[in-house]
Amino acid sequence: MPYLFNTPEQQQEMLKTIGVDSLEALFATIPSELRLDRPLEIPPALTEMELQAHVTSLAAKNVGPTTRVCMQGGGAYDHFIPAAVDEIARRGEFYTAYTPYQAEASQGSLQTFFEFQSLICQLTGMDVSNASLYEGGTCVSEAAFMAMRVTNRHNRVVLLGSLHPEYQQVVETYLTHLNCEVVIVPCIDGAADPAAVDAAMNEETACLVIQHPNFFGTLEEAEQLTEIAHKYGALSVVSYDPISLGILKRPGDYGADIAIAEGQSLGTPLQFGGPYLGLFSCSEKFVRRMPGRLIGQTVDRNGKRCYVLNLQAREQHIRRDKATSNICSNQGLIAIRAAVYLALLGKQGIREVAELSCQKAHYAAEQLASVEGIELLFPERPFFKEFAVSCSEGADYLLRKARQAGFDLGPELSRFETQQSPEKFQSAVLVAITEQRTRAEIDQLVNALKA
């Protein structure tokens, strides 16, 4: 169908059908002072050659990890992506496959998602994984809803204050018009105090949401906090960094009931903040309460292995009161990238990426702390690949001076100001170091800040 405006004759036919004499009559309810009484200020049309040159000049203004050194954190990270990830995920079979929530989904797509689920289970130590969700923030909300269904407790959830502030906002938004109290345990010193968490829990709590490593990059007492949740009959929901599981204990190994994550670090570039990937896995006994869809393996009538949609419990398929979520799709192509990335690296590769990120981050923290006016915000807390620093001259000064030297740090912690944010957060920024960063780059940043 050509992209053309409707003709005057077609306009008159539509006006006649709805019983209006003119286009002006359609806008009679809009006050004249609110209407535009002049033509739109649109520049003259460009030729194809001119337009291409103009768009190219606009694109050249973008800067990113390919042209600058990215040490930014806060939930999205500049990890190395093997070329094979792009080569495989960009195959036409994956790019053009129909969203696999119908019975006619292709065997190729189903097999790929089955392998994705298997890899996530191996990574997390959990029994079962779904075929992915949208991104890390909605995973937290979906986990809270699932915990309510499992425990039959619908009035209370507890979040650690060290959970990503945007994840907190998503949960609060989802629960705004429900009779559910969201309790946030303050984490002023960079991690939760188990005693304070214990005091916040009670027998009406559906779940305790833990981020480990947390938003500040520090490590929580995840195993102890999980035990506290179970003591009150609540579920333990752990939001993890997928790369960190190369060296940290897996959620399934310390008894977490639901493990969720933002999966961007598994083979997806930063790409202007999305689309990213939600990872969701849980204990097998809760599988029928899990949102999203689950791909299973079976055999056909000829005894050959094949793949099926085992579970897709949304309103369109079953009675509404038994639906687990209104999710009707998933980040399929991004999940394929994660599966390819995990398969390429394997257990040893993930461990090496985690070790390099951790070692380089600790070197960077030590060097930055040697700069006059800069100190670690939580010097006593262990961390993985991300840490917070405060600057006596202010966060803006630190970010600006780093930018001038070609380095991007951040975000500023003051950007996520909440009621429990202490004064010391106002001059602090996050710094994230991945395996891509070199000692030379870290030293160059430190020397620029000392200059």
Side-chain angles (χ1 to χ4, degrees), residues 155-202:
N155 300 323
R156 198 169 190 273
V157 298
V158 176
L159 315 179
L160 297 190
S162 55
L163 177 69
H164 197 305
E166 291 176 350
Y167 295 1
Q168 295 180 27
Q169 291 174 358
V170 173
V171 173
E172 291 169 342
T173 299
Y174 268 81
L175 299 177
T176 295
H177 297 294
L178 298 179
N179 186 28
C180 182
E181 179 187 11
V182 180
V183 178
I184 298 178
V185 182
C187 299
I188 304 301
D189 295 322
D193 176 4
V197 175
D198 192 289
M201 299 291 292
N202 62 28

Side-chain angles (χ1 to χ4, degrees), residues 63-77:
V63 294
T66 57
T67 54
R68 297 172 61 81
V69 181
C70 180
M71 295 183 178
Q72 292 178 307
Y77 306 97

Side-chain angles (χ1 to χ4, degrees), residues 117-351:
Q117 293 171 175
S118 302
L119 289 162
I120 297 302
C121 287
Q122 291 178 36
L123 181 69
T124 61
M126 303 301 289
D127 298 327
V128 61
S129 165
N130 68 13
S132 84
L133 298 182
Y134 293 132
E135 38 68 47
T138 51
C139 277
V140 180
S141 298
E142 291 291 347
F145 283 128
M146 177 176 163
M148 294 178 192
R149 294 190 294 269
V150 170
T151 62
N152 201 28
R153 301 174 180 180
H154 300 272
N155 300 323
R156 198 169 190 273
V157 298
V158 176
L159 315 179
L160 297 190
S162 55
L163 177 69
H164 197 305
E166 291 176 350
Y167 295 1
Q168 295 180 27
Q169 291 174 358
V170 173
V171 173
E172 291 169 342
T173 299
Y174 268 81
L175 299 177
T176 295
H177 297 294
L178 298 179
N179 186 28
C180 182
E181 179 187 11
V182 180
V183 178
I184 298 178
V185 182
C187 299
I188 304 301
D189 295 322
D193 176 4
V197 175
D198 192 289
M201 299 291 292
N202 62 28
E203 281 73 15
E204 294 185 359
T205 304
C207 65
L208 171 64
V209 181
I210 307 157
Q211 185 171 348
H212 174 66
N214 64 30
F215 174 67
F216 307 113
T218 67
L219 305 185
E220 298 283 357
E221 297 289 347
E223 189 165 356
Q224 184 179 356
L225 295 174
T226 293
E227 292 173 356
I228 292 173
H230 291 164
K231 182 174 76 171
Y232 291 93
L235 298 193
S236 169
V237 177
V238 176
S239 176
Y240 60 92
D241 177 339
I243 298 298
S244 74
L245 300 185
I247 55 177
L248 296 182
K249 185 179 288 189
R250 303 179 301 174
D253 294 336
Y254 53 80
D257 300 294
I258 303 173
I260 53 178
E262 169 56 65
Q264 174 271 330
S265 56
L266 302 179
T268 299
L270 294 171
Q271 54 189 31
F272 299 95
Y276 287 160
L277 171 68
L279 308 180
F280 196 108
S281 53
C282 67
S283 299
E284 185 176 6
K285 59 185 175 181
F286 304 137
V287 64
R288 290 200 169 274
R289 304 287 187 176
M290 184 174 64
R293 63 190 53 79
L294 179 68
I295 312 304
Q297 177 180 275
T298 184
V299 294
D300 63 14
R301 61 185 177 182
N302 297 318
K304 294 183 178 180
R305 179 171 59 181
C306 62
Y307 300 90
V308 295
L309 278 164
N310 272 8
L311 184 68
Q312 44 182 345
R314 62 192 184 118
E315 296 97 327
Q316 140 174 358
H317 299 107
I318 63 175
R319 289 198 303 274
R320 189 168 195 168
D321 61 327
K322 295 191 178 298
T324 60
S325 173
N326 64 354
I327 289 177
C328 61
S329 184
N330 67 295
Q331 297 290 33
L333 194 60
I334 312 300
I336 289 171
R337 294 184 67 91
V340 175
Y341 178 88
L342 287 169
L344 281 170
L345 268 67
K347 292 181 180 179
Q348 184 60 31
I350 291 292
R351 182 178 181 87

Side-chain angles (χ1 to χ4, degrees), residues 51-64 66-67 272:
L51 178 60
Q52 189 175 64
H54 176 62
V55 172
T56 301
S57 69
L58 293 177
K61 296 181 179 181
N62 291 328
V63 294
T66 57
T67 54
F272 299 95

